[in-house]
């Protein structure tokens, strides 16, 4: 039975599309780069930003680092709050905590940005740990998962009772790299069709209620 539930942030606990897309546009405009189409812009939701600027905009690593700095120039004061809680997820967290589950955040987003977002949208009271990337580094998902588990005091013996919840293949693959299961969510359609199941998600939920049913029965 699962006892420890780790949540991704963007696309899972919150719908961060507006803030992320606006800040990607801002960075690219400041660099004089062309703006990708809308579908490509949505693919920035989930992966580490530097990887996305390289993969989707053809940037060198050096240019991608500059783009991330420009992105955060707008995201830190404005973009992080161009966001909304995912329907039903705060209530789900409350119910799970009441039932004795231990909840934590595991996001590749900088931890300094994760905390105010979780506080603003009502998730912070339910999260024992809020783990994100450290200053100056964009961790991959497996790095954040390992850090969240370490801060929860978990060991290899606890792995069967840990579930990651995320909306992209990066969450699933990161969980697999850490030896734990991942439930995928398709609240906002940011993953490509079949992406989560293809990466090996233990389940794919369309709503908070479906996710809750999976957690309570496994």
């Amino acid at each position: 039975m699962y006892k420890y539930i780790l949540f991704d942030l963007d696309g899972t606990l919150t719908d961060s599309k507006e803030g992320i897309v606006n800040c990607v546009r801002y960075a690219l405009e400041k660099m004089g780069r062309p703006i990708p189409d809308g579908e490509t812009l949505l693919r920035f939701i989930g992966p580490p930003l530097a990887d996305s600027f390289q993969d989707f905009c053809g940037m060198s690593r050096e240019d991608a680092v500059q783009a991330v700095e420009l992105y955060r120039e707008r995201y830190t004061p404005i973009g992080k709050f161009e966001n909304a809680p995912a329907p039903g997820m705060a209530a789900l967290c409350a119910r799970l905590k009441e039932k004795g589950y231990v909840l934590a955040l595991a996001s590749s987003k900088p931890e300094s940005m994760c905390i105010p977002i979780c506080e603003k949208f009502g998730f912070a009271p339910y999260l024992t740990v809020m783990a994100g990337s450290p200053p100056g580094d964009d961790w991959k998902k497996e790095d954040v998962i390992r850090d969240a588990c370490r801060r929860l005091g978990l060991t290899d013996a606890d792995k069967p009772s840990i579930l990651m919840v995320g909306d992209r293949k990066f969450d699933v693959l990161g969980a697999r790299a850490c030896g734990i299961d991942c439930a995928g969510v398709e609240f906002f359609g940011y993953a490509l069709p079949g992406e989560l199941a293809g990466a090996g998600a233990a389940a794919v939920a369309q709503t908070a209620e479906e996710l809750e049913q999976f957690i309570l029965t496994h």
Side-chain angles (χ1 to χ4, degrees):
M1 296 291 289
Y2 298 125
K3 179 180 178 182
Y4 305 96
I5 314 298
L6 311 181
F7 291 98
D8 178 43
L9 183 56
D10 293 339
T12 302
L13 291 183
T14 66
D15 182 4
S16 51
K17 176 176 70 175
E18 181 182 357
I20 290 175
V21 168
N22 286 345
C23 293
V24 170
R25 288 178 174 275
Y26 174 86
L28 293 174
E29 287 169 357
K30 294 274 279 191
M31 295 179 74
R33 296 268 188 159
I35 308 297
D37 60 45
E39 182 177 334
T40 301
L41 287 171
L42 291 183
R43 296 173 70 185
F44 276 81
I45 302 170
L49 281 169
D51 292 350
S52 294
F53 279 115
Q54 291 175 89
D55 294 342
F56 307 138
C57 301
M59 291 188 182
S60 66
R61 183 70 185 180
E62 183 179 3
D63 284 347
V65 169
Q66 180 187 357
V68 171
E69 290 176 355
L70 290 169
Y71 172 101
R72 290 181 178 154
E73 183 176 280
R74 185 185 186 279
Y75 191 87
T76 299
I78 301 170
K80 68 186 178 189
F81 295 133
E82 293 175 327
N83 206 340
M89 287 301 285
L92 170 59
C93 288
R95 290 193 296 271
L96 290 176
K97 185 165 185 178
E98 185 176 348
K99 291 178 183 294
Y101 290 87
V102 178
L103 312 182
L105 185 79
S107 170
S108 298
K109 184 187 294 294
E111 190 168 312
S112 61
M113 297 182 187
C114 293
I115 292 172
I117 293 170
C118 289
E119 290 174 343
K120 178 177 176 63
F121 296 111
F123 295 105
Y126 311 118
L127 300 170
T128 301
V129 163
M130 288 182 276
S133 293
D137 197 3
D138 281 332
W139 276 0
K140 295 191 179 298
K141 182 59 67 168
E142 55 261 40
D143 299 320
V144 181
I145 291 172
R146 290 191 183 100
D147 187 51
C149 290
R150 177 189 62 79
R151 290 159 66 175
L152 288 170
L154 305 181
T155 67
D156 286 349
D158 296 303
K159 286 184 177 180
S161 63
I162 306 170
L163 178 70
M164 179 70 207
V165 178
D167 70 312
R168 297 297 310 276
K169 67 181 180 181
F170 310 98
D171 301 298
V172 182
L173 298 176
R176 289 178 62 186
C178 295
I180 66 172
D181 290 343
C182 181
V185 296
E186 293 183 333
F187 299 155
F188 307 111
Y190 298 145
L192 297 174
E195 175 182 315
L196 292 163
V204 179
Q206 305 298 320
T207 65
E209 291 74 21
E210 285 184 17
L211 175 63
E212 181 174 17
Q213 182 63 23
F214 174 76
I215 292 171
L216 296 180
T217 56
H218 289 80

